[in-house]
């Protein structure tokens, strides 16, 4: 009798609930989440989502799936909200996997839907279906699901959003069969879900006491400082403790003004060099950064003799593999504010100042240093740099200083193809800001189709291609593996690519610059334009 009563009660509730198509329930939910911009490259299994597409939604088309995810990655980082992506079955997800990997390393919240063939024909291995849809994107999504029923799709997307936004943020994937979009379901209302991770007060107090007692403290800042909006708080904490401030190896964001008297520079991804550069500091505090990210093999200690290490990050996995030191999981901004609430420490002297960058002179075939030094002199400090020029990055770090929060983005993964489409996404999110893509010629060819999206959207982006005709980063890395100047290095030369012609063919204006005397005027003109323009710069 109790079961019959329960069934009758559920039936009455459902009769009083207005059912809507899954596509409407999903778009209503996305509207509540503030996700009315959709990024995609559609296929047949996704068309059901776009029937009766709401007028207040915007669909951003990318010409290849990695470009789609790259645009969404930049957009999500710049808006501080998850971006919605629609990909095509197994093929689309496969094309996008490199970009999904980068988004995972960037800690970017993305809600990815992937089309699936209709449920009725799934038992027959139909054309263009994904046989293991939830396994395909692993391990580079936080969660993946193909709902058991069409009626469960909106709730799955709601859960995906909350998980994508929960620190550490990251991509999630929901596989949606093609016939689900038209099925009727109950609407799903957005909920308020906490995203803050408060640090352990006892461990944070221990770190605070170590910091107060240190004579020569150093901070190592990772991408989470800027992601968490902690830039100003970290500046205040560094000034209070007169700490030398370093940027962590391979950081995708910057967390400190690089013209500040306390800024010490950038740590390389090499164990011995990190120990050498941090030598003399008795306490090292890593904020929003792994301690430490390495790119080559190393030996010996991870920190200098006589020093102690503590780190505060929002990712428990990062804390788990750290080889030494005290580790606390928590919001960087909240942790820094808690440290600022402590009593004023004893007075210290400033650490030695970072030597100024050497002035780069113009040469017949201009240097990367000269090109970036010229850009630094001309651009507005609040313009946004989106960078993917690996061989030029050390030069950029000396000659193109980042001075304000949320004005620098690059990839944390090391995988190419992020920079060009990410610049499109950032510009879409911040239409009142000038976005400048600083790109290598090798990097650009991974996602050159993004120029078409920039042109179609009419975004005022200046793309700078530093054209050295090679994968120069590989040339620089080759000695690590025993190559000498006498050895032939295969597969690194990139002759005969006309980037200006490619840009024009995709709808952007373009100019080629080889004369260093012409560069300042060309940059001023391109930075003043209200539409996308590519500047191909011939460099040594």
């Amino acid at each position: 009798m109790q079961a019959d009563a329960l069934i009758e009660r559920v039936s009455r509730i459902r009769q009083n609930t207005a059912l809507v198509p899954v596509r409407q329930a999903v778009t209503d939910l996305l509207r509540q989440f503030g996700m009315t911009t959709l990024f995609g490259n559609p296929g047949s299994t996704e068309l059901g989502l776009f029937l009766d597409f709401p007028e207040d939604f915007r669909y951003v088309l990318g010409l290849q799936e990695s470009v789609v995810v790259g645009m969404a990655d930049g957009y999500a980082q710049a808006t501080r909200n998850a971006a919605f992506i629609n990909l095509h079955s197994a093929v689309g997800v496969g094309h996008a996997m490199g970009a999904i990997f980068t988004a995972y390393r960037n800690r970017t919240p993305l809600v990815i839907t992937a089309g699936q063939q209709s449920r009725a024909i799934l038992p027959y291995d139909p054309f263009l279906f994904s046989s293991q849809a939830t396994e395909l994107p692993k391990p580079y999504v936080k969660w993946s699901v193909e709902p058991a029923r069409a009626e469960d799709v909106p709730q799955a997307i709601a859960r995906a959003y909350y998980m994508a936004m929960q620190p550490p943020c990251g991509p999630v994937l929901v596989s949606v069969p093609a016939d689900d979009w038209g099925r009727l379901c109950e609407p799903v209302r957005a909920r308020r879900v906490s995203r803050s991770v408060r640090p352990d007060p006892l461990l944070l107090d221990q770190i605070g006491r170590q910091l107060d007692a240190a004579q020569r403290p150093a901070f190592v800042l990772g991408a989470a400082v800027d992601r968490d909006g902690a830039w100003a708080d970290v500046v205040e904490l560094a000034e209070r403790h007169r700490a030398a401030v370093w940027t962590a190896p391979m950081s995708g964001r910057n967390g400190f003004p690089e013209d500040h008297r306390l800024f010490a520079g950038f740590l390389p991804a090499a164990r011995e060099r990190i120990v050498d550069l941090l030598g003399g500091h008795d306490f090292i505090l890593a904020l929003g950064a792994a301690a430490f990210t390495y790119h080559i093999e190393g030996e010996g200690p991870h920190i200098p003799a006589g020093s102690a290490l503590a780190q505060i990050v929002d990712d428990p996995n990062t804390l788990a593999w750290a080889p030494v030191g005290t580790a606390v999981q928590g919001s960087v901004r909240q942790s820094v504010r808690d440290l600022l609430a402590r009593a004023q420490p004893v007075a210290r002297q400033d650490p030695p100042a970072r030597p100024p960058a050497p002035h780069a002179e113009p040469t017949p075939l201009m240097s990367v240093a000269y090109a970036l030094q010229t850009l630094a002199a001309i651009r507005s400090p609040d313009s946004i740099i989106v960078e993917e020029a690996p061989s030029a990055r050390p030069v950029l770090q000396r000659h193109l200083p980042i001075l304000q929060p949320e004005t620098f983005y690059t990839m944390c993964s090391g995988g190419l193809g992020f920079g060009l489409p990410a610049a499109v996404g950032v510009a879409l999110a911040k239409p009142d800001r000038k976005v400048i893509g600083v790109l290598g010629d090798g990097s650009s060819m991974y996602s050159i189709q993004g120029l078409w999206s920039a042109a179609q959207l009419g975004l005022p982006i200046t793309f700078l291609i530093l054209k050295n005709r090679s994968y120069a980063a590989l040339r620089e890395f080759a000695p690590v593996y025993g190559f000498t100047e006498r050895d032939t290095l295969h597969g690194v030369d990139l002759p005969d690519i006309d980037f200006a012609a490619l840009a024009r063919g995709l709808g952007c204006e373009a100019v080629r610059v080889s004369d260093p005397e012409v560069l300042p005027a060309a940059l001023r003109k391109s930075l003043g334009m209200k539409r996308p323009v590519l500047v191909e710069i011939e460099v040594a």
Side-chain angles (χ1 to χ4, degrees):
M1 293 296 293
Q2 289 181 341
D4 291 342
L6 179 60
I7 292 171
E8 183 180 353
R9 182 177 174 223
V10 169
S11 176
R12 285 199 305 270
I13 291 173
R14 287 181 172 173
Q15 289 174 4
N16 293 328
T17 301
L19 301 180
V20 298
V22 167
R23 72 175 67 87
Q24 180 181 332
V26 169
T27 52
D28 286 348
L29 182 63
L30 295 178
R31 189 180 290 110
Q32 296 172 61
F33 289 144
M35 299 168 67
T36 56
T37 296
L38 277 61
F39 297 86
N41 181 275
S44 56
T45 54
E46 292 77 56
L47 291 177
L49 171 60
F50 305 116
L51 186 65
D52 301 322
F53 197 62
E55 292 185 358
D56 60 326
F57 276 59
R58 171 174 58 181
Y59 186 86
V60 178
L61 175 63
L63 299 185
Q64 206 268 357
E65 286 87 350
S66 63
V67 173
V68 169
V69 176
M71 291 191 297
D73 191 337
Y75 185 81
Q77 290 195 59
T79 58
R80 294 183 175 275
N81 191 25
F84 187 89
I85 299 171
N86 185 240
L87 300 178
H88 179 45
S89 191
V91 173
V93 175
H95 286 167
M97 273 309 302
I100 293 171
F101 168 71
T102 290
Y104 182 81
R105 294 299 185 197
N106 287 350
R107 303 292 189 255
T108 303
L110 300 176
V111 175
I112 303 169
T113 54
Q116 175 66 291
Q117 272 291 8
S118 297
R119 291 180 186 269
I121 58 173
L122 285 179
Y124 312 114
D125 281 12
F127 187 64
L128 282 177
F129 91 118
S130 185
S131 62
Q132 299 185 57
T134 61
E135 297 300 311
L136 179 58
K138 292 179 180 178
Y140 300 116
V141 291
K142 295 179 66 178
W143 183 61
S144 61
V145 67
E146 186 172 280
R149 307 179 305 156
E151 295 88 342
D152 299 328
V153 169
Q155 184 62 50
I157 290 177
R159 179 177 175 181
Y161 175 81
Y162 303 133
M163 293 188 71
M165 292 294 291
Q166 189 71 29
C169 296
V172 295
L173 182 137
V174 181
S175 173
V176 184
D179 51 347
D180 283 7
W181 296 110
R183 293 287 297 271
L184 295 180
C185 70
E186 296 180 14
V188 174
R189 299 294 301 173
R191 300 182 294 120
R192 295 179 63 87
V193 176
S194 174
R195 303 172 196 161
S196 178
V197 180
R198 191 74 184 237
D200 183 302
L202 295 179
L203 282 179
L204 193 63
D205 178 65
Q206 177 185 324
I207 292 173
R209 286 186 277 109
Q210 287 179 289
L211 182 57
D212 292 341
Q215 296 182 6
R216 296 174 304 280
F219 292 173
V220 178
L221 308 184
V225 170
D226 204 31
R227 283 202 308 263
D228 206 21
W231 176 296
D233 299 300
V234 168
V235 171
E236 184 179 350
L237 187 67
E239 290 176 343
R240 173 180 289 194
H241 289 277
R242 305 288 184 92
V245 178
W246 296 85
T247 296
M250 303 301 184
S251 178
R253 305 273 285 268
N254 283 37
F256 202 81
E258 293 169 20
D259 60 349
H260 195 285
R261 70 183 191 279
L262 295 176
F263 186 68
F266 297 81
L267 293 179
R271 186 191 303 190
E272 293 90 344
R273 287 288 294 138
I274 290 173
V275 171
D276 181 55
L277 290 170
L278 294 178
H281 294 291
D282 55 348
F283 181 64
I284 302 160
L285 177 58
L287 292 168
F292 297 98
T293 299
Y294 303 131
H295 190 199
I296 58 176
E297 292 181 45
E299 296 179 349
H302 296 275
I303 58 175
S307 66
L309 170 71
Q311 62 175 324
I312 302 171
V313 295
D314 60 10
D315 183 1
N317 290 327
T318 301
L319 301 184
W321 65 251
V324 295
T326 303
V328 176
Q329 181 184 2
S331 158
V332 174
R333 181 173 58 178
Q334 185 59 60
S335 301
V336 170
R337 289 181 175 179
D338 287 348
L339 292 173
L340 284 169
R342 299 175 65 87
Q344 190 77 20
V346 296
R348 304 183 182 95
Q349 291 184 339
D350 282 352
R354 185 190 190 201
H359 184 75
E361 299 294 339
T363 52
L365 184 56
M366 76 183 86
S367 66
V368 172
Y370 176 79
L372 295 178
Q373 172 185 281
T374 304
L375 174 62
I378 292 172
R379 80 172 184 108
S380 172
D382 69 348
S383 60
I384 298 172
I385 302 293
V386 182
E387 177 266 324
E388 191 179 288
S391 65
R393 190 168 301 147
V395 184
L396 180 145
Q397 291 169 347
R398 291 299 283 155
H399 293 275
L400 184 59
I402 303 302
L403 308 176
Q404 297 183 18
E406 298 185 65
T407 59
F408 179 79
Y409 301 86
T410 190
M411 78 297 196
C412 295
S413 68
L416 300 182
F418 165 81
L420 197 155
V424 177
V426 172
L428 198 62
K430 296 183 179 291
D432 58 333
R433 303 282 288 279
K434 187 65 185 183
V435 175
I436 306 167
V438 178
L439 311 165
D441 45 359
S443 301
S444 301
M445 290 306 299
Y446 278 73
S447 51
I448 198 71
Q449 304 96 322
L451 294 175
W452 180 86
S453 297
Q456 294 298 310
L457 295 165
L459 298 171
I461 309 170
T462 298
F463 298 99
L464 305 182
I465 306 292
L466 301 173
K467 185 178 178 180
N468 56 28
R469 292 182 167 82
S470 72
Y471 293 122
L474 292 180
R475 291 191 185 280
E476 296 173 1
F477 207 69
V480 174
Y481 291 98
F483 283 84
T484 69
E485 293 182 359
R486 296 188 301 273
D487 294 315
T488 299
L489 192 60
H490 295 281
V492 298
D493 294 322
L494 300 172
D496 305 325
I497 299 177
D498 189 338
F499 288 95
L502 287 171
R504 294 188 192 104
L506 291 167
C508 292
E509 295 192 31
V511 61
R512 180 181 295 109
V513 179
S514 58
D515 184 349
E517 301 299 330
V518 174
L519 182 64
L523 289 179
R524 288 191 183 93
K525 181 178 179 181
S526 69
L527 293 175
M529 296 178 72
K530 302 299 183 184
R531 54 191 179 276
V533 58
L534 183 143
V535 183
E536 180 181 328
I537 305 174
E538 301 270 3
V539 296

